Amino acid sequence: MIDKVDFIKEDKIFSLLEKGKATDKNEIKEILAKARDCRGIDLGEVAKLLYLEDEELLDELYDVARHIKNRIYGKRVVLFAPLYTSNECANNCLYCGFRHDNKELHRRTLSLEEIVKEAKAIEKQGHKRLLLICGEDAKKTNVKHFTEAMEAIYKATDIRRINIEAAPMTIEEYKELKKAGIGTYVIFQETYHRETYRIMHPVGKKANYDWRITAIDRAFEGGIDDVGVGALFGLYDYRFEVLGLLMHCMHFEKKFGVGPHTISVPRLRPALGASLKEIPYKVSDKDFKKIVAIFRIAVPYTGIILSTRERAEFRDELLSIGVSQISAGSKTNPGGYQEDDDHADQFEISDNRSLPKMMETICQKGYIPSFCTACYRRCRTGENFMEYAKAGDIHEFCQPNAILTFKENLMDYADESLRKMGEEIILKALEEIEDDKMRTLTIARLEEIEKGKRDIYF
Ligand code: SAM
Ligand code: SF4
């Protein structure tokens, strides 16, 4: 049995939201001015921003978010792809196509061989970072499933970082994931609102709110200090979810001295065979953009991940105000990189652009596509990462590493037109490296890559 957690204080969230409603223009301006220093803002201030409707002030909010994103993350956008290893699931989350009672779904758990095939197909697109993901099935997708998959992929491909998004585990199991070389452990609470959680997750292990919300604590105790959190927007009031998620982060930051490496912002999508036919708390594009900007300024040192659940043009727009990692060329059915099966997907994808197409758009927007996996391999994770990040040093590594990994990709995978566009972006990006020594070193490493050397990073 697991104790009922007390760190998501619903009464406090409702009271902060009540107070947040009555905020005047000057107060908002003061909060935004404070936020510009990249030191974050508190929950009361977040609550006030969550009620912003005034277009002029919203533009100011986006401007601050843009400023923080550029100052801390520079121009890089990190790319990754999900690898669905199974769509079998014992739970019955009302919103998900994988739910147990969905009779329309073609069920499949990939063998190790098939997983490696998928990883190779993802690598062939040009990716170096992937996210293993699946339903929850104690027999088929247990910890062994993940450790064996990681081992096989690291051995058979040049995938350099494997993140995992999986159902809650025990401390011992997290230790095994750590040993096998997990990058980030990701888990979404879905909704921080207990009663909504209870309705949405009627049966199975996932029905236990407390077991799920304490997964991150156990991951830390198992030695994983690089974690990602998220809420599924659309299940309950988005304002509540933003505050709930930040309270969750504050809890483990206080307990373990480290906040999350990433926050994901999935928005509910239609899914074949889901029992939820309508989105209970629809989040408009305007509100969604506000959510991203608020996260960017509330926790400036936490990456924000946006998936292909969002439309192409909207994803492009959100890049500038805070998103630092995006998936591209994604499939959400097991085996999807070999063959499509629209009766095996978790949900409908909105952005179907290929990785090269996505890279082209990133370049056109003046950003650098990054395939960097250096931090975790240089042990710049957890507390270490935060120290670098807060001192502003992470930016110094990220830009050169983005340049180097982009160059590799251009040489190994890109066609003529992307290569030409990319080389121009690299020249501009080199100029932006402030430290002369670092710039010279980066240029020298680019020459090594030209000569055939690979996987060099700072
Ligand atoms: N099965 C594991 C779990 O639930 O923790 C692993 C993650 S599940 C495959 C991936 C995530 O997809 C869920 O945590 C949920 O937030 C999201 N998801 C499920 N159904 C969705 C839908 N219809 N639209 C958008 N996201 C959805
Ligand atoms: Fe299963 Fe996860 Fe889908 Fe829930 S969200 S039905 S646990 S795959």
Side-chain angles (χ1 to χ4, degrees), residues 84 89 91 93 95-98 133-136 165-168 187-188 190 206 212 231-232 266-271 274 309 346-347:
Y84 279 75
C89 191
N91 297 315
C93 314
Y95 44 82
C96 180
F98 289 179
I133 180 166
C134 56
E136 180 170 15
E165 182 173 341
I187 185 165
F188 305 156
E190 319 296 13
K206 194 154 166 182
R212 192 165 181 93
L232 183 55
R267 191 160 50 153
L268 199 53
R269 296 278 306 141
R309 290 173 180 88
Q346 194 195 10
F347 52 82

Side-chain angles (χ1 to χ4, degrees), residues 231-420:
L232 183 55
F233 286 95
L235 296 179
Y236 189 60
D237 175 21
Y238 75 85
R239 296 183 176 96
F240 184 97
E241 303 293 16
V242 169
L243 290 177
L245 187 146
L246 290 172
M247 258 184 189
H248 185 192
C249 298
M250 284 163 69
H251 156 73
F252 57 83
E253 189 159 1
K254 188 166 158 209
K255 191 165 163 192
F256 301 101
V258 190
H261 185 163
T262 55
I263 290 177
S264 297
V265 285
R267 191 160 50 153
L268 199 53
R269 296 278 306 141
L272 180 80
S275 44
L276 209 59
K277 299 299 173 211
E278 303 243 319
I279 296 176
Y281 285 80
K282 211 166 183 334
V283 181
S284 67
D285 282 359
K286 182 177 168 185
D287 287 336
F288 194 72
K289 187 171 171 187
K290 184 165 75 180
I291 292 169
V292 171
I294 290 176
F295 276 136
R296 178 64 302 126
I297 73 174
V299 278
Y301 299 98
T302 299
I304 298 180
I305 302 185
L306 191 67
S307 74
T308 50
R309 290 173 180 88
E310 299 302 329
R311 298 180 330 276
E313 325 77 66
F314 193 42
R315 289 222 301 169
D316 299 349
E317 187 180 336
L318 295 173
L319 274 182
S320 70
I321 58 150
V323 170
S324 51
Q325 270 192 46
I326 52 171
S327 48
S330 306
K331 301 286 177 190
T332 70
N333 61 305
Y337 295 96
Q338 321 283 322
E339 57 190 284
D340 277 334
D341 177 354
D342 61 5
H343 275 62
D345 293 329
Q346 194 195 10
F347 52 82
E348 290 172 20
I349 280 176
S350 297
D351 183 351
N352 284 303
R353 283 175 293 183
S354 65
L355 176 63
K357 191 81 205 141
M358 193 68 234
M359 289 167 68
E360 204 181 289
T361 310
I362 292 173
C363 290
Q364 280 158 354
K365 297 215 135 247
Y367 291 99
I368 318 163
S370 173
F371 297 88
C372 178
T373 54
C375 275
Y376 124 95
R377 292 149 90 213
R378 285 258 189 243
C379 295
R380 286 192 298 261
T381 61
E383 222 171 327
N384 253 336
F385 174 84
M386 287 301 159
E387 265 172 39
Y388 279 111
K390 289 186 178 164
D393 294 341
I394 215 72
H395 183 69
E396 282 169 32
F397 296 114
C398 291
Q399 181 100 341
N401 283 335
I403 294 173
L404 296 178
T405 53
F406 183 32
K407 174 78 178 178
E408 269 193 11
N409 182 288
L410 291 176
M411 295 207 49
D412 295 344
Y413 303 97
D415 66 15
E416 204 41 49
S417 100
L418 180 57
R419 199 170 297 159
K420 193 160 169 271

Side-chain angles (χ1 to χ4, degrees), residues 47 50 67 71 116 157 176 187 193 196 218 227 243 257 300 310 338 345 348 367 369 382 388 432:
L50 283 167
H67 162 81
R71 187 155 141 204
V116 168
T157 69
E176 288 182 49
I187 185 165
H193 186 248
T196 306
R218 291 190 298 282
V227 297
L243 290 177
E310 299 302 329
Q338 321 283 322
D345 293 329
E348 290 172 20
Y367 291 99
Y388 279 111
E432 285 164 11

